[in-house]
Amino acid sequence: MVSSPLMLRALIAAVVVGAAAPVVGTFLVQRRLALMGDGIGHVALTGVALGWLVGNAASVVPQDSLALPGAVVTAIAGSIAIELVRERGRTSGDLALALMFYGGIAGGVLLIKVAGGTNANLISYLFGSISTVSNADLAWTVGLAVVVLAVGLGLRAALFSVSHDEEFARASGLPVRVLNILVATIAALTVTVAMRVVGLLLVSALMIVPVAIAQLFARSFGRTMAVASATGIAVSVVGLSFTYWYDYPPGATIVVLAVLVYAAASVTRPLLRRGTPVHDPHPDVLDDLELNGAEGATGRGADSC
């Protein structure tokens, strides 16, 4: 599989996407915005069609050369817009996401028709087409993934603070608005990074499901992010390898594999915890139950005297 240039490009794309997507997903889960990736994905579809339209007008060959840059610009603009709407409280977060859902996909279908294409041209972006990743697509994917990882890991403490408690972050002197927009921006970049691997309709699953798996076992934010990223890489590589031997769609296979891993982890976690001895963080200090028992015994001894 590695000897094939096509599969080698696909494998590199799967690894970088599997590593980057859960990093951003960890912040989105902390902010209770697990569906934000879906909303951005629908807006990115408009950007894909807009790239087609610009490429057609400029007579660029191939016509979809500007699809990925168009998706990046549109996704960033849409994510910042939804963050500003959420911050000002003009409409609820779920309503704003719904507007992005419907407006994004409708705009994409309309613009691709204006660009002279058909809805079939959007299928590879909706559901992923990792087997057709070109050298240019791979360069975009790796570059954007490096940016996402650099921001997500480099500013992890500040981004966690604003995602966990905005009021505390504001009282601590952190630039809350800038950090919120930064989270929205790297979420948009992650959507466009994963577009070729799992597709715009499934990208949110690769961002969120590995985080859900990690939360079953990890006890801290840092460990959750590390386990989620490792899980994302594992399911992406295994899913892609499976589709090399069997003719199945890679994006759907990766997502289904991640969901199956979550189901297995949910079943095995209670069994693993049942056999784990309870850890006492302060073995040198008597527990309340032991203290109460000792006081009761002393009291009964005094009464008997």
Side-chain angles (χ1 to χ4, degrees):
M1 182 177 68
V2 180
S3 63
S4 169
L6 184 148
M7 290 305 298
L8 184 59
R9 290 195 299 268
L11 186 62
I12 295 173
V15 169
V16 297
V17 170
V23 170
V24 180
T26 308
F27 297 114
L28 296 183
V29 170
Q30 190 69 31
R31 292 162 63 98
R32 294 178 176 84
L33 290 174
L35 292 179
M36 188 172 183
D38 274 336
I40 297 175
H42 285 70
V43 173
L45 186 65
T46 299
V48 168
L50 188 61
W52 271 72
L53 183 62
V54 174
N56 187 30
S59 300
V60 176
V61 179
Q63 194 174 7
D64 63 343
S65 299
L66 300 179
L68 186 55
V72 171
V73 173
T74 308
I76 291 176
S79 63
I80 293 176
I82 190 63
E83 177 57 36
L84 294 178
V85 168
R86 185 193 66 83
E87 177 186 331
R88 296 181 180 181
R90 293 184 178 179
T91 184
S92 60
D94 59 342
L95 181 57
L97 285 175
L99 293 174
M100 292 179 69
F101 273 48
Y102 307 138
I105 197 167
V109 172
L110 181 62
L111 286 178
I112 198 67
K113 184 65 175 179
V114 174
T118 63
N119 293 342
N121 298 125
L122 299 177
I123 296 298
S124 62
Y125 299 97
L126 286 172
F127 299 102
S129 182
I130 195 171
S131 60
T132 61
V133 173
S134 63
N135 290 327
D137 291 334
L138 184 61
W140 272 96
T141 300
V142 173
L144 294 176
V146 169
V147 173
V148 169
L149 288 173
V151 174
L153 298 178
L155 298 177
R156 184 180 63 185
L159 295 179
F160 168 75
S161 179
V162 75
S163 299
H164 181 67
D165 190 340
E166 284 192 11
E167 296 301 325
F168 175 78
R170 188 173 287 107
S172 301
L174 293 174
V176 173
R177 171 176 289 185
V178 174
L179 292 174
N180 280 334
I181 292 177
L182 190 58
V183 171
T185 301
I186 61 174
L189 292 179
T190 304
V191 168
T192 55
V193 162
M195 178 173 62
R196 279 297 198 182
V197 177
V198 294
L200 295 173
L201 293 182
L202 300 175
V203 61
S204 187
L206 194 57
M207 296 169 68
I208 303 303
V209 177
V211 179
I213 296 171
Q215 286 182 332
L216 294 175
F217 302 100
R219 297 186 177 181
S220 67
F221 184 81
R223 289 183 180 179
T224 298
M225 182 178 290
V227 173
S229 185
T231 303
I233 295 174
V235 297
S236 298
V237 172
V238 173
L240 179 62
S241 302
F242 186 81
T243 60
Y244 176 75
W245 302 107
Y246 301 96
D247 188 18
Y248 292 118
T253 303
I254 291 171
V255 172
V256 168
L257 179 60
V259 173
L260 291 177
V261 171
Y262 175 78
S266 300
V267 173
T268 57
R269 178 175 177 267
L271 300 178
L272 294 176
R273 294 191 63 182
R274 185 179 303 173
T276 303
V278 179
H279 174 67
D280 188 355
H282 303 288
D284 55 329
V285 179
L286 291 176
D287 295 333
D288 293 340
L289 183 60
E290 295 179 357
L291 290 174
N292 292 335
E295 292 175 357
T298 304
R300 287 192 299 273
D303 292 340
S304 61
C305 293

